[in-house]
Amino acid sequence: MITKVKQMPDLPNPYAMRDWRRVALKYDELVFDERRQGDFFPVLWRDRSGKNGVAEAFGLPSYLGMKRGGRHEAINTVAAVLGATLAGQDKRAGAADWFSMIAAYFNTDNGQRLFLNLTDVQAGRTFWYEIYPHVLLYSLAYYYPGAGNLDAIMLETADRWLAVCEALRDKDGLPDFNHLAFDFGTMQPVDNGRWKEPESAAGVAWLQLMAYARWGGEARLAAAGDCLRSMERRGENPFYEILLPYGAYAAARMNAQYGGSYDVRKLVNWCFDGDSACRPGWGVVSERWGDYDCHGLCGSLTDWGQRWDALAANAGADYDPVRSGYAFAANTFALAAGLVPLVRYDSRFARDIGKWLLNAANAARLFYPTSLPGKQQSCSFYAPDEDDVIAYEGLRKWWDYQSPYATGDPIRYSWGGIDLGLYGSSHVGFFGGIISLTEVEGVLLLDCLRTDYYREAAFPTYLIFNPHPVAVSLDLARGREDSLVYDAATHRLLPGDAGEVSIAPSAAVLAVLVPAGGELTADGDRRLWDGVVIDYNVRA
């Protein structure tokens, strides 16, 4: 189903899986510790500027070592709050109500009334920086319903993006997002003649679907579908940064719940292929870099964002474009948020997404300082925290005669700070909330509900991929001894109970834990247990 995943090993080598939930919780503990002392610490500061009517907010530097204070980014701070929440923390409790502070990104002082990446910025510069903060907000609002005024911000901004869909409709009646951004003052698209960000249609489709699931409104559902159709109509891969996986998820969910016919296979493969028409090479790595399997990481496969002559000058005559590649922590972590819950609505992708995330979760350790020798990282002078939870911004396939090479952009471009990026590290809770280790090495338990926001009622659902050449058994009971397991990948009730689930070699189980004694019924292509959908596509 996913062409790139066929090129990945079932079990990556060397295998050294981190406990991603522990990493996420330790990262949360570290960066929200205002009393932490040491080089570069503390990192958090209180923002008492009162912008946008929020008396107190907080900031984190985008990169370690940057000056504290001043402007701060939602893709960093809000991601940190969301990541911790996904990993099980309540960010309204403790030293401060960090959750409520993020309302400062709702730009009211300047009249934008949008949830943007800074607390004092105008929209119209770049779609992904203006849509992705809304994705983070809507995700958080799901976990804190009725808290603060984020529900109201979600509702208002959803309607504003709905108006964008109407303003961008072309002669065929579909919104054309093949632009750089949108100016909410003039209600016109913005272009710069250099690049476009058509994947924004995927992000807006997801926003509208979430708003529809939360509040209803047929115009929202129709807009979500129109955004997906406008993207499919292109025929060219629109992947630019981070939004496309959310569109793939939206397509699968709309097919399953609302009778859509969107091409999920095309959208998912676009996330992986690296043949983007607007950002050449952007996709998922399916290679071994040096002595390490780096399959599954997300970023540039060609390092297209760097000038060839600059690379050549740095590398000398040994530079070879085939050696180039630059994967990013934030993009890799974020990819899971859309793709893992997608399998609930289109189980055809269960095996491939399980296999991909096993590879990605294993390779993602290489973003962290203790995973590579000093000569293979740009900041070997940095003594990492005791839990090693702040990651480099990215991992290059080849740099300074080393492969791979952990690095980032700040030192190279003299931005201030060092190459360890908090904005990427803040996303680790996406892995931490989804991925659990099991008693079998190499077998992960992936929570398909964790980022399946504003969903219908559901029983606990886990994706499990077995990378071994022999069958393995897992105990999924975990306090649910009276549960049975329905496998939505093979569309059948498994024998026995959740205490011992067998997974065939190189196969996946999409395990739905249902209470014993319930009733299995059919509704077209759907299967229900006690009236709750447990399988959306029996005939897929």
Side-chain angles (χ1 to χ4, degrees), residues 55-247:
E56 184 173 72
F58 75 96
L60 295 172
S62 298
Y63 296 91
L64 200 62
M66 279 185 163
K67 183 179 178 180
R68 297 168 70 243
R71 301 174 105 188
H72 42 86
E73 294 189 90
I75 63 168
N76 186 9
T77 59
V78 182
V81 175
L82 175 59
T85 299
L86 291 172
Q89 291 290 77
D90 181 353
K91 297 306 289 180
R92 299 196 72 193
D97 181 357
W98 306 109
F99 166 78
S100 296
M101 291 184 187
I102 68 171
Y105 295 103
F106 183 50
N107 280 242
T108 56
D109 289 349
N110 59 13
Q112 288 285 282
R113 303 196 68 80
L114 293 165
F115 193 86
L116 300 173
N117 193 44
L118 302 173
T119 59
D120 56 353
V121 66
Q122 299 278 333
R125 300 181 180 185
T126 162
F127 265 131
W128 93 264
Y129 266 115
E130 292 153 11
I131 295 172
Y132 188 56
H134 289 86
V135 171
L136 298 174
L137 164 69
Y138 291 21
S139 303
L140 262 177
Y142 171 76
Y143 277 104
Y144 299 89
N149 63 340
L150 293 198
D151 278 348
I153 294 173
M154 176 181 172
L155 179 59
E156 180 175 346
T157 57
D159 287 344
R160 300 214 68 198
W161 285 107
L162 178 60
V164 173
C165 294
E166 296 303 317
L168 291 179
R169 290 194 185 277
D170 60 17
K171 59 182 178 59
D172 297 321
L174 295 178
D176 180 6
F177 281 90
N178 193 30
H179 300 284
L180 171 69
F182 187 82
D183 185 327
F184 283 81
T186 64
M187 294 301 288
Q188 294 294 321
V190 176
D191 290 291
N192 64 3
R194 291 184 291 143
W195 80 86
K196 299 174 187 282
E197 302 180 17
E199 72 160 357
S200 52
V204 174
W206 186 90
L207 297 180
Q208 293 304 308
L209 178 59
M210 294 302 101
Y212 174 77
R214 174 71 174 81
W215 288 289
E218 292 303 316
R220 297 187 181 110
L221 184 64
D226 288 345
C227 287
L228 295 174
R229 277 190 288 275
S230 73
M231 200 162 46
E232 287 184 348
R233 176 186 61 176
R234 287 173 48 80
E236 295 179 323
N237 188 337
F239 201 11
Y240 179 78
E241 183 72 39
I242 209 166
L243 299 173
L244 185 58
Y246 290 93

Side-chain angles (χ1 to χ4, degrees), residues 39 60 65 84 244 276 326 387 427 488 490 503 512:
D39 292 342
L60 295 172
L244 185 58
S276 172
Y326 195 5
D387 297 300
H427 285 76
T490 58
I503 305 105
V512 185

Side-chain angles (χ1 to χ4, degrees), residues 462 485-494 508-512 534-535:
Y462 300 99
V485 177
Y486 179 90
D487 179 13
T490 58
H491 316 295
R492 64 191 180 96
L493 195 65
L494 298 183
V509 166
L510 185 53
V512 185
I534 58 174
D535 190 344

